Amino acid sequence: MSAATVSPRLRPPAGDRAAILDALRTAGYRLTAPRQALVDLLVGQGGQCFTAEDIYGQVRGVTPRLGRATVYRTIERLVELSLLERIHADGPCHSYVLGGASHHHHLICSVCGRVWEFPECALPQLLLDLSAQVGFSVEGHHVEVFGRCAACRSAA
Amino acid sequence: MSAATVSPRLRPPAGDRAAILDALRTAGYRLTAPRQALVDLLVGQGGQCFTAEDIYGQVRGVTPRLGRATVYRTIERLVELSLLERIHADGPCHSYVLGGASHHHHLICSVCGRVWEFPECALPQLLLDLSAQVGFSVEGHHVEVFGRCAACRSAA
DNA sequence: CTTCGTGCAAAACCTTTGCAACTCG
DNA sequence: CGAGTTGCAAAGGTTTTGCACGAAG
C-alpha cells in the first residue's frame, strides 16, 4: 500500500486502552476487572470488526467466569460513549469496531473483515443539497465501502 | 417540499405490484396466493422500511394461515431478485425497503421511518480515490443519511 | 456503607430448518 | 402428475432481563 502521498489519508482504527478506560471513568462508570478485561480484548481485535458473540467466545478462554450479559452490557455502554461504533454489516446482527469517537466512514474488506476508517467526513455536498430540497434536516449519515484489501487480493 | 427544480431529484421508492409479480414469474418462481398477499402488503408499506416481523404481524390480520416461514422465505427471494433492498438501519435486526433494482442510496427519516431514495449514485470520487490508495478494490458501497423529513419537522 | 456492576439462568426474540401436505403450471 | 411451496412446529442463535451476591468508591 502506498497511501502516504495523498491527503486526506487513511489511518488505522484507534484502539487506546488507557483512553477508553479514562473515558469510562470520566463518564462515571466504575473501572471493574471485567470491564478492563473486555477493553483489553476489544483493543486486541486490531481494528477488525466483531460481534458481541465473537467477544464472548474469546473472553471465555481468558476470563471464563465473565458472563455473556456483561459482554453485551459493556458493549452497549461503549457504544453510548462513542468509544465503539456499531457498523451495519450484513450477517448475524450487529458488528462493532473500536474508535467511534471521531466522525468518519468505513472501508470494509469483504474477505478478511478488516476495517479502515476515513478520518475525514467525505459526504458529498450533493447529498446534503438533495436532503435540503425535500425539507430534510440531516442529523447524521453513514457511509460504508465494501471491497477487497490489498492483502486479500494478493493472497487470491 | 420543493424538490422539483434541481437535478438529480429525489423520487419516491418504487412499489409496483405487477412488476414485482412479473419479475418473480420471469425468474421461474410460482405465483402462489401467499406470495401475492405478501407483495400486496409490501407495496402497501408506502415506501417505509419494515422488518420481516412487521410484515408477519400485519399479514396475520389479512391471511391468518400464512406462516412466518413463508414471510421470511419470500422476503429472501425478493432480496435475491433486487426487488427488495436490505437496509442497515439500527433496531431489531434487518429492515427492508421496496425497490432495490437500481443503484441508489437512502435518506431515512428518524421519526416516521419513511425512506427516500437517491436515484443516482452520489458516492464521491474522493472515496474511490482513497480506496485505491490503500490497494482496495471497491466492490460496493452503501450510503445512508439520517434526519427528519419535512412532515415530521412541522409536526413537532 | 451504598450504589453500581456481575454472574447465572431463564426468558424473549428473531430467523432458519425439517417434513408431510398441498398446489401451481 | 411432479417439482416447487406452504404451514406448522421445533430447533438454533442472539440479545435482554431478573435477581441475589459481590465489589468499587
Side-chain angles (χ1 to χ4, degrees), chain A residues 8 93 130 135 139-140 146 148 153, chain B residues 8 93 135 139-140 146 148 153:
Chain A
C93 282
L130 284 171
E139 294 173 336
F146 303 97
R148 284 165 188 258
R153 286 168 70 197
Chain B
C93 282
E139 293 173 337
F146 302 97
R148 285 165 186 257
R153 285 169 70 198

Side-chain angles (χ1 to χ4, degrees), chain B residues 116-139:
Chain B
W116 282 261
E117 298 175 359
F118 291 105
E120 331 250 327
C121 172
L123 187 76
Q125 189 60 39
L126 174 60
L127 284 184
L128 298 174
D129 291 344
L130 284 171
S131 305
Q133 282 177 35
V134 284
F136 223 84
S137 66
V138 175
E139 293 173 337

Side-chain angles (χ1 to χ4, degrees), chain A residues 42-64:
Chain A
L42 299 185
V43 170
Q45 302 302 301
Q48 295 208 209
C49 54
F50 50 84
T51 65
E53 214 58 26
D54 287 340
I55 296 302
Y56 179 62
Q58 292 177 36
V59 86
R60 306 220 71 191
V62 187
T63 319

